[in-house]
mmCIF file of all heavy atoms in Angstrom:
data_model
loop_
_atom_site.group_PDB
_atom_site.id
_atom_site.type_symbol
_atom_site.label_atom_id
_atom_site.label_comp_id
_atom_site.label_asym_id
_atom_site.label_seq_id
_atom_site.Cartn_x
_atom_site.Cartn_y
_atom_site.Cartn_z
ATOM 1 N N ALA A 378 -21.398 -9.834 0.377
ATOM 2 C CA ALA A 378 -20.201 -9.951 1.132
ATOM 3 C C ALA A 378 -19.138 -10.656 0.283
ATOM 4 O O ALA A 378 -18.001 -10.195 0.335
ATOM 5 C CB ALA A 378 -20.458 -10.740 2.430
ATOM 6 N N ILE A 379 -19.564 -11.598 -0.425
ATOM 7 C CA ILE A 379 -18.651 -12.386 -1.338
ATOM 8 C C ILE A 379 -18.163 -11.370 -2.426
ATOM 9 O O ILE A 379 -16.886 -11.214 -2.697
ATOM 10 C CB ILE A 379 -19.253 -13.586 -2.049
ATOM 11 C CG1 ILE A 379 -19.527 -14.648 -0.954
ATOM 12 C CG2 ILE A 379 -18.382 -14.068 -3.203
ATOM 13 C CD1 ILE A 379 -20.314 -15.847 -1.486
ATOM 14 N N ARG A 380 -18.959 -10.455 -2.994
ATOM 15 C CA ARG A 380 -18.547 -9.469 -3.953
ATOM 16 C C ARG A 380 -17.521 -8.405 -3.261
ATOM 17 O O ARG A 380 -16.588 -8.167 -3.896
ATOM 18 C CB ARG A 380 -19.706 -8.612 -4.388
ATOM 19 C CG ARG A 380 -20.463 -9.124 -5.719
ATOM 20 C CD ARG A 380 -21.279 -8.040 -6.284
ATOM 21 N NE ARG A 380 -20.529 -6.999 -6.827
ATOM 22 C CZ ARG A 380 -21.095 -5.778 -7.122
ATOM 23 N NH1 ARG A 380 -22.301 -5.494 -6.843
ATOM 24 N NH2 ARG A 380 -20.250 -4.994 -7.646
ATOM 25 N N VAL A 381 -17.771 -8.138 -2.063
ATOM 26 C CA VAL A 381 -16.864 -7.297 -1.422
ATOM 27 C C VAL A 381 -15.478 -7.787 -1.322
ATOM 28 O O VAL A 381 -14.520 -7.216 -1.643
ATOM 29 C CB VAL A 381 -17.463 -6.874 0.060
ATOM 30 C CG1 VAL A 381 -16.372 -6.063 0.819
ATOM 31 C CG2 VAL A 381 -18.736 -5.939 -0.104
ATOM 32 N N LEU A 382 -15.526 -8.964 -0.768
ATOM 33 C CA LEU A 382 -14.114 -9.680 -0.587
ATOM 34 C C LEU A 382 -13.367 -9.792 -1.865
ATOM 35 O O LEU A 382 -12.252 -9.748 -1.974
ATOM 36 C CB LEU A 382 -14.174 -10.899 0.232
ATOM 37 C CG LEU A 382 -13.980 -10.671 1.728
ATOM 38 C CD1 LEU A 382 -15.052 -9.747 2.363
ATOM 39 C CD2 LEU A 382 -14.001 -12.003 2.648
ATOM 40 N N LYS A 383 -14.236 -10.369 -2.883
ATOM 41 C CA LYS A 383 -13.663 -10.698 -4.241
ATOM 42 C C LYS A 383 -13.105 -9.467 -4.944
ATOM 43 O O LYS A 383 -12.123 -9.410 -5.484
ATOM 44 C CB LYS A 383 -14.666 -11.414 -5.035
ATOM 45 C CG LYS A 383 -14.605 -12.916 -5.141
ATOM 46 C CD LYS A 383 -15.623 -13.394 -6.186
ATOM 47 C CE LYS A 383 -15.876 -14.898 -6.169
ATOM 48 N NZ LYS A 383 -14.648 -15.619 -6.653
ATOM 49 N N GLU A 384 -14.089 -8.479 -5.068
ATOM 50 C CA GLU A 384 -13.784 -7.344 -5.972
ATOM 51 C C GLU A 384 -12.930 -6.234 -5.285
ATOM 52 O O GLU A 384 -12.353 -5.349 -6.085
ATOM 53 C CB GLU A 384 -15.088 -6.823 -6.525
ATOM 54 C CG GLU A 384 -15.844 -7.798 -7.263
ATOM 55 C CD GLU A 384 -17.251 -7.208 -7.654
ATOM 56 O OE1 GLU A 384 -17.388 -6.047 -7.877
ATOM 57 O OE2 GLU A 384 -18.125 -8.100 -7.914
ATOM 58 N N SER A 385 -13.184 -6.136 -3.944
ATOM 59 C CA SER A 385 -12.397 -4.878 -3.424
ATOM 60 C C SER A 385 -11.077 -5.304 -2.716
ATOM 61 O O SER A 385 -10.179 -4.359 -2.370
ATOM 62 C CB SER A 385 -13.312 -4.156 -2.311
ATOM 63 O OG SER A 385 -13.331 -5.029 -1.245
ATOM 64 N N GLY A 386 -10.941 -6.470 -2.253
ATOM 65 C CA GLY A 386 -9.678 -6.878 -1.425
ATOM 66 C C GLY A 386 -9.864 -6.517 0.105
ATOM 67 O O GLY A 386 -8.888 -6.902 0.796
ATOM 68 N N ALA A 387 -11.069 -6.170 0.505
ATOM 69 C CA ALA A 387 -11.300 -5.910 1.983
ATOM 70 C C ALA A 387 -11.197 -7.315 2.552
ATOM 71 O O ALA A 387 -11.281 -8.304 1.976
ATOM 72 C CB ALA A 387 -12.674 -5.406 2.191
ATOM 73 N N GLN A 388 -10.858 -7.367 4.000
ATOM 74 C CA GLN A 388 -10.634 -8.571 4.689
ATOM 75 C C GLN A 388 -11.923 -8.805 5.517
ATOM 76 O O GLN A 388 -12.039 -10.010 6.015
ATOM 77 C CB GLN A 388 -9.414 -8.465 5.579
ATOM 78 C CG GLN A 388 -8.188 -8.270 4.873
ATOM 79 C CD GLN A 388 -7.239 -7.684 5.816
ATOM 80 O OE1 GLN A 388 -7.201 -6.386 5.849
ATOM 81 N NE2 GLN A 388 -6.282 -8.340 6.255
ATOM 82 N N ALA A 389 -12.777 -7.941 5.568
ATOM 83 C CA ALA A 389 -13.980 -8.208 6.395
ATOM 84 C C ALA A 389 -15.133 -7.154 5.949
ATOM 85 O O ALA A 389 -14.827 -6.246 5.208
ATOM 86 C CB ALA A 389 -13.701 -7.881 7.838
#
Side-chain angles (χ1 to χ4, degrees):
I379 289 171
R380 266 197 73 197
V381 168
L382 267 58
K383 261 185 190 293
E384 296 176 32
S385 76
Q388 295 153 280

